[in-house]
Amino acid sequence: MVSSLMLIIAMCLLSSVGAVKKAYTNQWALEIAGGDENAADETAAKYGFKNLGRIIPGENFFLFESFAVRSRTRRRTRSIQTASLSRDHSVQWVQQQVAKRRVKRGHHAMRRRQTETNFNGPHNPNDPLWSDMWYLNGNRPGLDHNVKAAWDLGYTGKGIVVTIVDDGLERSHPDILPNYDPLASYDMNDRDEDPTPRYSSKSENYDGTRCAGEVAAVFNNSLCIVGIAYNSNIGGIRMLDGSVTDAVEAASFGHNSDYIDIYSASWGPDDDGRTVDGPARLARNALERGIKTGRGGKGSIFVWASGIGGKNADSCNCDGYTSSIYTLSISAATENGNIPWYSEACSSTLATAYSSGASGERMIVTTDIHHSCTNNHSGTSASASLAAGIAALTLEANPTLSWRDLQHIIVRTARPENLRAGDWVTNGAGRSVSHSFGFGLLDAGAMVLLARNWTNVPSQKVCRVSHSGRYKTIPHGSRLQLQLYSDGCVKDDESKVVYLEHVQAIITLTAPKRGDIQIYLTSPSGTRSTLLAKRAHDTSRTGFREWAFMTTHNWGESGVGNWTLEIDNDGWDDSELIKWDLVMYGTGSLIEAPGGLDPSFLATVSAVDHNAAASLTTTLLLPIPLLLTLRQRFQL
Ligand SMILES: *[C@@H]1O[C@H](CO)[C@@H](O)[C@H](O)[C@H]1NC(C)=O
Ligand SMILES: *[C@@H]1O[C@H](CO)[C@@H](O)[C@H](O)[C@H]1NC(C)=O
Ligand SMILES: *[C@@H]1O[C@H](CO)[C@@H](O)[C@H](O)[C@H]1NC(C)=O
Ligand SMILES: *[C@@H]1O[C@H](CO)[C@@H](O)[C@H](O)[C@H]1NC(C)=O
């Protein structure tokens, strides 16, 4: 009681201390009862707004623009407008839209290596930068994305629609134009159909055009490069070149989601090592709706560039976009297989693609604005786009893949060898995993092969367990260790998880300095994920409120047994864990490679489940080695 009161006081104090000046826009997002377009128009007219329309197709959110207010508003006007709207009986929720700080994840290189003299062999395309495409042109067997193998099998992205959610797309670029798809494009900043970037003297709006070329530049046309999915349809959603509000993000992720297969995003909250931010209400809604209803119900694919705040010791688990279970979070590796200087380590990264590195290492070649080419695309912006192209090849190989099937295929085919990191471990399912590289380097050839014969995984189950202890003090300079037993919700068919996919620890805690907190989660199989590393720059005193730290490292393990949460507090004062919930996502039955379920295997496994359920404490240790043996035998 005392603790909770203190918490409330603390949070009130802290929110005023830590508050950043917000940039309010003249737009309001509203949830209108029943979601009726006419009702929204009437409400808008009644209070002096213009209804700009529905934000996410199929949902009841509308965007209103104020006639009375220009782009920035004084606090008083603001609260009066919000208050009058919220009093209307048809309005279930209203929020003035705030411009968020969103940063692109390419970076300007300090120096670049000269382009090599061009030589194209007889069987190679005539695109002039082909010989610089070291990450896929076949000159480094085993040290590239094995894209040629996928092409040789006939997969080039045909019929797959990709959109780059970024600062625009130069649709007239001759290496992109033949694959340009207006149905996969929109300009959220100017609210029109044309995603062409704004050309400024600083030429800062090139990222989208560079990313698009990596995915879908035309093959063998004597221009620039070859896109990985060079027969796919490519579009651009221009949304970073203006006020990036929750509504803008949501509208972007939800744009034409029956038509667009893959959304690729190479940006996020500031990677300054002190920010904790993620999708807000509307964007969360759009992502969730996307995976549920997008692509005809198979689920939109959201590829996300992991942060580039390595220099600031940032953690990508403090970015709610990359750490969402709905996004495919992609990290980068350098030409020599090292961790790039900008890379952020965290447990939610799924896999890796090549990108820029040290000054002697080559970068990514691609299309650039003003109908040009570049040999210096960099950062995770470049690696995520390679991943989007590879995902397009995989969906072409098997269009029935769900958003989760694609993640399963990546986990099984990504290659850890040749990527140098000090933290590779083998998880309880026998897979190597690292906080810098996830499960390893994407292998396009292996992915399409596995995709072709893949049987869709069963529906996602969610097993949620709460730790009973609340308000646990973490004295400064010490560690709090908690155990939480889970039976994998075995008694409830709706939530029973036998085979883990994503795992979240949802944590609320106070801390005198947030950056002094470190959090680790160890699974019953003994896999230890770093959920949060120390962030020296993070001086915030707001702690974490219901923050979902995610790990992919338990993929394929069993969730049954004791989970251990460790929290280190290196701060100058005590910290307090208010609560933590463990959320396990996965399937209610085991999954055999290459997908599908072997009936005889299932029979053995259900016997194991039965034992585990019958006698939780005494026989618990028995099933785990047995499961491991079974996994080894079936190469799960
Ligand atoms: C590229 O196009 C040229 C003709 O412009 C053709 O001779 C060559 O065979 C093509 N190369 C490939 C790899 O398709
Ligand atoms: C990167 O390439 C562009 C051409 O697209 C060029 O204008 C720019 O100077 C290059 N930057 C560096 C740092 O080499
Ligand atoms: C996998 O799929 C391909 C093409 O769809 C087919 O030719 C092949 O026989 C399949 N392989 C197995 C092992 O089922
Ligand atoms: C799980 O943890 C509880 C409490 O710490 C302990 O009593 C129990 O023996 C543990 N079970 C296993 C299987 O380690």
Side-chain angles (χ1 to χ4, degrees):
M1 217 39 201
V2 175
S3 304
S4 65
L5 192 65
M6 277 167 61
L7 170 72
I8 291 166
I9 295 167
M11 283 187 168
C12 293
L13 283 172
L14 298 180
S15 56
S16 54
V17 171
V20 185
K21 245 200 160 85
K22 286 183 172 175
Y24 286 94
T25 69
N26 61 344
Q27 298 184 340
W28 276 255
L30 297 91
E31 188 175 2
I32 302 281
D36 182 63
E37 199 84 45
N38 294 330
D41 283 343
E42 280 169 29
T43 310
K46 194 156 121 195
Y47 296 97
F49 290 87
K50 181 181 175 199
N51 177 14
L52 297 180
R54 202 181 291 277
I55 298 170
I56 309 161
E59 299 283 324
N60 298 345
F61 300 107
F62 290 85
L63 191 64
F64 285 10
E65 192 165 86
S66 171
F67 289 127
V69 187
R70 290 266 168 229
S71 58
R72 296 284 154 94
T73 67
R74 282 179 300 128
R75 193 178 188 87
R76 198 159 141 258
T77 334
R78 199 172 69 228
S79 34
I80 290 169
Q81 295 226 348
T82 308
S84 57
L85 279 173
S86 62
R87 273 195 298 272
D88 193 281
H89 70 278
S90 73
V91 177
Q92 292 177 319
W93 171 79
V94 57
Q95 189 179 62
Q96 185 171 14
Q97 293 296 287
V98 173
K100 294 161 185 284
R101 184 158 163 74
R102 293 291 177 260
V103 180
K104 299 173 204 176
R105 289 177 171 167
H107 66 85
H108 296 281
M110 320 264 172
R111 223 184 313 155
R112 76 189 156 99
R113 190 159 119 176
Q114 265 320 309
T115 304
E116 285 168 4
T117 18
N118 195 21
F119 173 73
N120 286 325
H123 303 297
N124 287 327
N126 58 22
D127 304 77
L129 294 180
W130 171 253
S131 61
D132 295 310
M133 301 186 78
W134 51 272
Y135 40 91
L136 58 77
N137 66 10
N139 289 341
R140 295 168 23 116
L143 295 174
D144 70 10
H145 287 297
N146 198 22
V147 168
K148 273 184 142 180
W151 290 348
D152 287 346
L153 290 165
Y155 302 115
T156 58
K158 202 164 182 53
I160 306 301
V161 183
V162 184
T163 193
I164 307 294
V165 183
D166 207 296
D167 56 13
L169 167 61
E170 187 174 86
R171 62 190 168 88
S172 63
H173 195 296
D175 207 14
I176 291 175
L177 183 62
N179 288 332
Y180 174 71
D181 186 346
L183 295 177
S185 302
Y186 197 77
D187 182 347
M188 296 288 165
N189 294 131
D190 291 342
R191 305 186 69 86
D192 63 45
E193 307 285 323
D194 183 359
T196 302
R198 178 177 56 89
Y199 298 99
S200 72
S201 53
K202 281 189 284 174
S203 272
E204 75 263 42
N205 294 316
Y206 53 71
D207 201 53
T209 303
R210 289 178 167 205
C211 292
E214 292 181 75
V215 175
V218 174
F219 181 82
N220 203 36
N221 64 346
S222 309
L223 295 168
C224 296
I225 61 146
V226 181
I228 288 182
Y230 57 79
N231 281 322
S232 63
N233 293 20
I234 188 79
I237 294 178
R238 175 173 178 258
M239 48 76 73
L240 283 183
D241 194 20
S243 295
V244 187
T245 62
D246 190 21
V248 163
E249 292 182 353
S252 304
F253 307 151
H255 185 70
N256 216 355
S257 66
D258 266 338
Y259 184 76
I260 296 169
D261 297 300
I262 300 169
Y263 299 73
S264 187
S266 291
W267 48 270
D270 211 332
D271 297 320
D272 55 5
R274 61 198 312 160
T275 300
V276 175
D277 193 9
R281 179 174 179 157
L282 299 169
R284 271 204 313 271
N285 183 297
L287 289 173
E288 198 168 322
R289 194 181 167 83
I291 58 94
K292 285 191 177 139
T293 69
R295 229 160 39 88
K298 298 186 293 287
S300 308
I301 309 298
F302 298 105
V303 177
W304 216 283
S306 177
I308 55 162
K311 210 176 51 172
N312 302 322
D314 203 357
S315 163
C316 34
N317 270 0
C318 292
D319 168 344
Y321 298 84
T322 59
S323 68
S324 162
I325 71 167
Y326 303 137
T327 61
L328 264 164
S329 177
I330 301 296
S331 192
T334 76
E335 181 183 7
N336 293 322
N338 294 320
I339 301 170
W341 58 270
Y342 51 81
S343 178
E344 295 179 19
C346 73
S347 56
S348 57
T349 299
L350 195 67
T352 297
Y354 280 117
S355 188
S356 58
S359 58
E361 292 177 295
R362 283 179 286 181
M363 303 190 200
I364 303 300
V365 291
T366 184
T367 50
D368 208 344
I369 54 171
H370 303 299
H371 295 189
S372 68
C373 320
T374 181
N375 64 0
N376 62 32
H377 194 29
S378 59
T380 53
S381 184
S383 58
S385 310
L386 296 179
I390 293 169
L393 301 180
T394 311
L395 289 190
E396 184 191 5
N398 183 350
T400 75
L401 297 178
S402 72
W403 66 281
R404 284 168 52 241
D405 287 322
L406 185 63
Q407 298 201 22
H408 275 270
I409 288 172
I410 289 173
V411 168
R412 280 152 197 276
T413 54
R415 287 183 294 114
E417 68 273 11
N418 306 321
L419 297 184
R420 274 190 287 276
D423 75 328
W424 285 108
V425 295
T426 304
N427 78 0
R431 294 188 194 290
S432 294
V433 67
S434 142
H435 293 83
S436 292
F437 296 126
F439 288 91
L441 196 68
L442 292 172
D443 181 326
M447 281 174 69
V448 297
L449 273 181
L450 188 53
R452 289 212 294 199
N453 297 72
W454 185 260
T455 307
N456 301 119
V457 295
S459 63
Q460 183 197 53
K461 301 286 158 120
V462 185
C463 172
R464 187 173 182 132
V465 205
S466 296
H467 193 270
S468 54
R470 300 208 164 187
Y471 306 109
K472 299 267 186 201
T473 302
I474 316 160
H476 63 99
S478 75
R479 165 176 295 184
L480 173 71
Q481 185 167 327
L482 295 175
Q483 285 213 319
L484 176 56
Y485 176 79
S486 161
D487 65 358
C489 300
V490 70
K491 291 178 212 88
D492 175 12
D493 273 348
E494 284 310 300
S495 49
K496 178 175 101 173
V497 172
V498 164
Y499 180 104
L500 289 174
E501 295 168 0
H502 314 87
V503 174
Q504 290 172 330
I506 302 181
I507 289 176
T508 303
L509 62 74
T510 61
K513 183 186 168 204
R514 192 169 57 193
D516 282 336
I517 300 292
Q518 296 159 80
I519 308 176
Y520 306 92
L521 179 69
T522 305
S523 69
S525 308
T527 308
R528 189 168 186 251
S529 300
T530 304
L531 299 184
L532 179 67
K534 258 172 110 156
R535 296 198 306 164
H537 296 316
D538 185 0
T539 53
S540 165
R541 297 197 282 163
T542 54
F544 289 97
R545 203 183 305 187
E546 295 270 313
W547 189 256
F549 291 96
M550 196 269 272
T551 178
T552 58
H553 292 204
N554 306 119
W555 204 284
E557 294 184 349
S558 157
V560 179
N562 278 335
W563 291 79
T564 306
L565 186 76
E566 296 158 84
I567 305 181
D568 288 357
N569 174 13
D570 286 351
W572 49 269
D573 203 355
D574 295 356
S575 180
E576 191 176 37
L577 176 68
I578 312 296
K579 66 188 284 246
W580 79 282
D581 290 347
L582 180 71
V583 188
M584 293 173 278
Y585 298 86
T587 56
S589 49
L590 286 165
I591 297 163
E592 190 215 341
L597 304 165
D598 176 329
S600 62
F601 179 49
L602 262 187
T604 343
V605 169
S606 51
V608 172
D609 284 349
H610 182 73
N611 284 342
S615 177
L616 290 175
T617 42
T618 52
T619 59
L620 184 82
L621 289 174
L622 251 171
I624 293 171
L626 182 54
L627 274 173
L628 286 176
T629 324
L630 288 169
R631 284 213 182 86
Q632 274 152 13
R633 211 168 99 218
F634 291 92
Q635 305 199 319
L636 285 170

